[in-house]
Structure formats: structure tokens, C-alpha cells
């Protein structure tokens, strides 16, 4: 069976399990929607629309923190991690499957947040291709970090503290670039796009390589 | 121990015992295993050699380190010191090729509680590259013998401990493994189910290598009454002692 096939079956299993725990996703979307509404309302009332874009990316980071608790950490809590680790599958495939799963969750919730902020703050430029492109790339970036963090701390007793700290610290460096290239009020150049994409690509490669070692040991 | 360095041809999996590539008579070799856990030596210089198509029972009270040893044996936990070879592969150093030949029953339920028994078995079958989970003869045999059919569409989370155990036993056989490692296959089962597990072990041992742990002497007696004849070891003070 090809690696892509294995990733597909692993991903479908995760989606099926998550769908059966729909209340968690719905609760998360509810909280994210509330946070987005508050952000939009504050931006309108205080005449500070320039904060909506960085605010959206901070919300995406918080979604990543939530997602980190649903990947490897949940497998460890439920002891299903033993079944995963006994499969004749390379750790990279397991990591990439989990990353794809996180990507879908983050993109779904980030999309809801983007829509609510754009509509309720009246900043409809946020629904442009440029912002949606940044959202997709950023979701990929934070999903790699969330999955890596989840794999790294799943055996740790202090993971409730470690997950938010690590995800926050590892994702923050990319937020200024994401803001620069997605906010029309800030002039941005091709160099910044290249730097943004480069940073995401390096993160993906480094996280995949490190996760191979972590999941093996 | 010439097999340790013998290269294995792993072009297809799962392998059969009759494969000429496995021209070895020792399947598992645990050499001088030590494990320190929370400041205490759980395993002390434990060694074990298991041959082809053999049945090995490890008897020991709760907390003596049986589960730790099983986890080390199947590569889930690293020993503090020592080496484990399965079909000649150092499992903590190699690429994990041995996993295709291995079926493991853990002490805990490792099936997804949100999915039904059938969905779990289908998922694991696909991950092992098998289309139908019951296409493996031992898995089908276990499925029928343990009476899992009636709970096929039940979510694993809704099953009792004993039925979860049965479902996990079937899962461990999906890839038609050559080596089956079972951690307390009879714990939480009633006498009838223990008898069914004994019959299953007896059938499997004709062409598979089986290692299982057991904490209850009464369960061991039931297994022996059913006619299975394992090599029995007692795990005591971190060491394996032949049990007479």
C-alpha cells in the first residue's frame, strides 16, 4: 500500500472519530465565533480596524493550541497510541496524517472566524484571495507545529502547561509576516511573500524530520 | 547465535513461517534486559529465548513488570539496558520491519471507542494492507470462536471490558502475524471466555510463536486443563525463572 493511501486511511479514521465527538468541534467553533464577534465589535466601536487582521491570526494560534490536544495527546490519553505505534508504518506518515487532520480542523475554524470578523467589522477586503491564501498557508504552518508539539509532549505529565507555551512560542515568529502581507494598509513586497512561504516550508521539513525521531523513540 | 546478524529479505509481508528467508529457529531473543522505572529496577538482567512455533507463558503477580516487559518486547518502550531481537532485527535500532510480522494484544483497550468493532477492524486491516479484516484465517477463527459477530455494529466504547478484550484479540490477529504477543489475554474474562481463549491459543500455536503473560494462577490452570502446553516462566524480582 502506498504512503498516500496510508495517510488517507489514517486521516479518514481521525475524521470519523472526530465526527463522533462532534460536540467538541461545535463547542470550539462556538468559542471561536464568540471571540471573533468580540474582536469585530471592538474594532468597530473603537475605530481600530487595523487590529482585525493580527487579531484573526492570534485566534488561529489559539485554534492550533486546541488542536494540539486532539492529535497525539488524545491517542495517548485513550491508549490508542500503542496501536498506532505498532503499525508497520513510518513515523513520518503518522506525523503527516496527523498534520493533515490538524490542518483541516484549523482551516475550518479559521475560515469561520475570518468570515465572522470580516462581516461584523465591515472589513470585507478580508474575504479577498490574498487573505484567504495567507490563512491557508498559516493553517499549514500552525498545524505542523501543533502536531509536532502534541507528539513531543504526549508522554509528559506537564503537557497542559507545555502545549500552549510551545505552540505559542513556535508560531509567534510567523505572525508579523502574515500580518504584513495580508493587511492592505501595510505595503508588502514579493520578498515578504517569499520569506513567509520559506518560513512555512522550513517549519514543515524540520517538524517532519524531528517527529520521525520523536515517534521512534 | 548466528541469526542475529543474518540479513532478512522483507520483500513481502506478512511473512509465513515456511518462508525460506527465515531460516532461523529462534524467533525472539531478549538479552540482559534491565529497566529502571520511577527510581526502581523493574527488570534486572532478564533474558529470554523463544523458538519457532512455541508457546511461552510468563506468570507473575500484579506489578512485577510483566506489562513493562511486553512493551519492551514489542518495541513500545526502550529498555534501560539490553537488546531485543525479533527475527534477527534489533527492534530498538532497526527500521521497524518486524512490526509486519507481529500481532500484539495490550493489557489496555487500544481500539477507538468512538468507532464500532467493524470500523475498528476495517481501519486496522487497511493499515496492514489487508482489504478484509477477516481474510486472515486466525482473525476469522478468533472472531467466530469469541462470538464477536453479535457486537459487530456496537461502538467499542459501549462494550464491557471482556468484550473489548475479545475485540482486541481479533485485532491482534488481523495481519496473520507470525509472532503473537499477548499481555494477560484472560484477565477480565469469565471461565467460559478463558476456555475460548485457551482453545484459540492452542490452535494458533500450531504454526505461530506465542508469548503471553498471566497473573492469575487459576487462569493458568484453566489453560493447562484445556490441553495447551506452554513453556512457563515466573517473573519474580525482575528476573525470569523457569516454572515447574
Amino acid at each position: 500500500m502506498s504512503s498516500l493511501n496510508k495517510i488517507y486511511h489514517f486521516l479518514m479514521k481521525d475524521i470519523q472519530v472526530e465526527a463522533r465527538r462532534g460536540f467538541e468541534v461545535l463547542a470550539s467553533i462556538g468559542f471561536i465565533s464568540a471571540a471573533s464577534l468580540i474582536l469585530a465589535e471592538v474594532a468597530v466601536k473603537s475605530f481600530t480596524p487595523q487590529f482585525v487582521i493580527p487579531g484573526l491570526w492570534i485566534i488561529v494560534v489559539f485554534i492550533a493550541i486546541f488542536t494540539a490536544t486532539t492529535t497525539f495527546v488524545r491517542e495517548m490519553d485513550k491508549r490508542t497510541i500503542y496501536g498506532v505505534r505498532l503499525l508497520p508504518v513510518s513515523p513520518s506518515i503518522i506525523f503527516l496524517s496527523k498534520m493533515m487532520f490538524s490542518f483541516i480542523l484549523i482551516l475550518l475554524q479559521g475560515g469561520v472566524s475570518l468570515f465572522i470578523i470580516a462581516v461584523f467589522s465591515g472589513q470585507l477586503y478580508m474575504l479577498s484571495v490574498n487573505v484567504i491564501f495567507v490563512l491557508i498557508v498559516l493553517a499549514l504552518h500552525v498545524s505542523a507545529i501543533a502536531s509536532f508539539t502534541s507528539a513531543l509532549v504526549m508522554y509528559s505529565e506537564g503537557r497542559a502547561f507545555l502545549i500552549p507555551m510551545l505552540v505559542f512560542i513556535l508560531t509567534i515568529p510567523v505572525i508579523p509576516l502574515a500580518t504584513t502581507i495580508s493587511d492592505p494598509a501595510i505595503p508588502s513586497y514579493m520578498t515578504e511573500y517569499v520569506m513567509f512561504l520559506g518560513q512555512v516550508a522550513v517549519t514543515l521539513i524540520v517538524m517532519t524530520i524531528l517527529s520521525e525521531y520523536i515517534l521512534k523513540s | 547465535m548466528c541469526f542475529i546478524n543474518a540479513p532478512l529479505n522483507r520483500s513481502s509481508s506478512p511473512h509465513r513461517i515456511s518462508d525460506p528467508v527465515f531460516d532461523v529457529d529462534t524467533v525472539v531473543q531478549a538479552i540482559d534486559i534491565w529497566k529502571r522505572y520511577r527510581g526502581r529496577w523493574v527488570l534486572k538482567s532478564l533474558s529470554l529465548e523463544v523458538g519457532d512455533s512455541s508457546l511461552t507463558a510468563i506468570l507473575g503477580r500484579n506489578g512485577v513488570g510483566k506489562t513493562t516487559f511486553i512493551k519492551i518486547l514489542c518495541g513500545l518502550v526502550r529498555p534501560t539496558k539490553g537488546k531485543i531481537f525479533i527475527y534477527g532485527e534489533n527492534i530498538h535500532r532497526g527500521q521497524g520491519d518486524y512490526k509486519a510480522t507481529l500481532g500484539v494484544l495490550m493489557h489496555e483497550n487500544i481500539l477507538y471507542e468512538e468507532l464500532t468493532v467493524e470500523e475498528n477492524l476495517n481501519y486496522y486491516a487497511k493499515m496492514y494492507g489487508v482489504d478484509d479484516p477477516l481474510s486472515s484465517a486466525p482473525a476469522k477463527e478468533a472472531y467466530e470462536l469469541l462470538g464477536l459477530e453479535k457486537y459487530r455494529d456496537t461502538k467499542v466504547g459501549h462494550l464491557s471490558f471482556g468484550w473489548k478484550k475479545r475485540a482486541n484479540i481479533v485485532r491482534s490477529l488481523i495481519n496473520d502475524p507470525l509472532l503473537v504477543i499477548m499481555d494477560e489475554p484472560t484477565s477480565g474474562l469469565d471461565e467460559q471466555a478463558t476456555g475460548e481463549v485457551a482453545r484459540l491459543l492452542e490452535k494458533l500455536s500450531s504454526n505461530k510463536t506465542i508469548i503471553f503473560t498471566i497473573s492469575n494462577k487459576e487462569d493458568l490452570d484453566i489453560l493447562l486443563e484445556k490441553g495447551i502446553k506452554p513453556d512457563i516462566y515466573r517473573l519474580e524480582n525482575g528476573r525470569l525463572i523457569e516454572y515447574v
Side-chain angles (χ1 to χ4, degrees):
Chain A
M1 188 163 59
S2 73
S3 299
L4 277 178
N5 237 334
K6 284 180 180 168
I7 290 176
Y8 171 77
H9 290 307
F10 205 94
L11 179 62
M12 291 315 288
K13 178 268 298 171
D14 275 341
I15 290 174
Q16 208 173 0
V17 169
E18 197 63 37
R20 301 271 165 90
R21 301 167 61 94
F23 59 92
E24 273 187 17
V25 179
L26 286 176
S28 174
I29 289 177
F31 287 123
I32 295 302
S33 303
S36 307
L37 268 174
I38 293 168
L39 180 66
E41 194 63 18
V42 169
V44 170
K45 293 262 169 69
S46 62
F47 305 104
T48 52
Q50 67 271 28
F51 292 131
V52 289
I53 287 273
L56 169 65
W57 302 143
I58 294 294
I59 286 176
V60 170
V61 172
F62 276 91
I63 298 170
I65 292 170
F66 160 73
T67 309
T69 64
T70 67
T71 53
F72 290 104
V73 169
R74 185 188 289 162
E75 297 263 14
M76 184 61 208
D77 285 343
K78 298 265 181 180
R79 296 293 183 264
T80 49
I81 191 71
Y82 296 134
V84 172
R85 289 189 56 203
L86 287 167
L87 290 171
V89 174
S90 125
S92 305
I93 288 178
I94 294 170
F95 176 76
L96 289 172
S97 311
K98 287 289 183 194
M99 198 191 85
M100 288 310 295
F101 173 65
S102 302
F103 174 67
I104 291 170
L105 279 184
I106 293 168
L107 195 60
L108 172 73
Q109 296 175 79
V112 169
S113 179
L114 168 65
F115 181 78
I116 290 173
I117 293 173
V119 170
F120 287 91
S121 69
Q123 308 295 316
L124 292 176
Y125 71 86
M126 285 179 75
L127 299 174
S128 67
V129 174
N130 190 40
V131 177
I132 292 171
F133 164 76
V134 175
L135 172 65
I136 292 171
V137 177
L138 187 66
L140 200 59
H141 178 80
V142 295
S143 62
I145 289 170
S147 304
F148 170 75
T149 307
S150 194
L152 184 68
V153 306
M154 68 176 155
Y155 298 110
S156 164
E157 286 176 4
R159 59 194 183 215
F161 168 76
L162 288 171
I163 287 176
M165 283 298 131
L166 283 173
V167 172
F168 196 69
I169 289 166
L170 291 171
T171 50
I172 280 301
V174 84
I175 298 299
L177 265 178
T179 306
T180 307
I181 61 179
S182 56
D183 194 335
I186 306 171
S188 57
Y189 306 96
M190 188 50 81
T191 330
E192 276 142 353
Y193 279 91
V194 173
M195 279 173 67
F196 178 58
L197 290 173
Q199 208 166 335
V200 173
V202 168
T203 305
L204 286 181
I205 293 166
V206 171
M207 298 290 158
T208 308
I209 293 169
L210 288 179
S211 67
E212 172 93 18
Y213 175 75
I214 288 168
L215 290 173
K216 245 186 196 170
S217 57
Chain B
M1 299 306 160
C2 61
F3 74 89
I4 289 176
N5 296 316
L8 295 179
N9 176 2
R10 297 193 180 275
S11 53
S12 63
S13 64
H15 302 285
R16 307 225 159 253
I17 223 82
S18 57
D19 270 3
V21 291
F22 290 127
D23 189 20
V24 292
D25 51 12
T26 304
V27 175
V28 176
Q29 198 177 33
I31 306 170
D32 193 23
I33 301 296
W34 292 73
K35 180 67 186 175
R36 194 175 174 85
Y37 184 67
R38 296 192 172 174
R40 186 172 74 95
W41 286 104
V42 182
L43 304 176
K44 298 173 205 164
S45 190
L46 185 155
S47 293
L48 176 70
E49 198 165 307
V50 175
D52 235 5
S53 301
S54 63
L55 188 57
T56 306
I58 298 171
L59 179 67
R61 284 177 290 109
N62 289 332
V64 294
K66 296 188 301 298
T67 298
T68 303
F69 180 54
I70 290 292
K71 284 179 180 170
I72 289 174
L73 205 54
C74 55
L76 289 172
V77 170
R78 276 177 188 270
T80 309
K81 191 184 146 199
K83 291 174 184 169
I84 304 270
F85 292 90
I86 292 181
Y87 288 114
E89 180 185 352
N90 183 338
I91 65 166
H92 294 105
R93 288 274 172 90
Q95 292 301 306
D97 294 342
Y98 72 97
K99 288 178 184 173
T101 65
L102 184 65
V104 180
L105 171 74
M106 301 301 296
H107 189 41
E108 307 102 325
N109 164 47
I110 61 168
L111 296 175
Y112 294 92
E113 302 213 325
E114 296 82 358
L115 305 183
T116 66
V117 170
E118 191 179 21
E119 286 166 344
N120 267 293
L121 296 181
N122 280 334
Y123 157 69
Y124 274 105
K126 281 173 187 156
M127 294 308 286
Y128 278 105
V130 183
D131 285 335
D132 177 5
L134 301 184
S135 62
S136 139
K140 189 166 193 278
E141 206 162 346
Y143 188 78
E144 288 166 357
L145 192 65
L146 300 175
L148 210 57
E149 172 70 26
K150 61 183 168 185
Y151 290 113
R152 199 180 65 173
D153 297 321
T154 307
K155 280 186 189 171
V156 170
H158 295 170
L159 295 177
S160 67
F161 183 85
W163 285 102
K164 281 180 188 167
K165 177 78 89 183
R166 288 170 169 95
N168 277 280
I169 290 174
V170 175
R171 188 215 66 88
S172 70
L173 300 170
I174 271 180
N175 57 331
D176 196 2
L178 293 175
L179 169 63
V180 182
I181 298 175
M182 294 181 159
D183 191 10
E184 304 210 25
T186 55
S187 77
L189 298 182
D190 56 30
E191 196 170 322
Q192 188 197 337
T194 302
E196 288 162 357
V197 170
R199 272 202 295 283
L200 182 68
L201 289 176
E202 189 194 2
K203 284 185 178 177
L204 292 176
S205 63
S206 62
N207 64 348
K208 296 190 188 303
T209 306
I210 301 173
I211 301 171
F212 67 95
T213 65
I214 201 157
S215 59
N216 194 329
K217 178 76 173 57
E218 286 74 46
D219 283 354
L220 181 63
D221 290 338
I222 294 173
L223 296 181
L224 296 175
E225 276 169 23
K226 296 288 175 186
I228 68 162
K229 295 180 181 66
D231 300 323
I232 308 173
Y233 296 89
R234 180 190 280 279
L235 184 55
E236 218 173 74
N237 297 323
R239 291 184 177 88
L240 278 180
I241 304 156
E242 204 156 345
Y243 180 75
V244 184

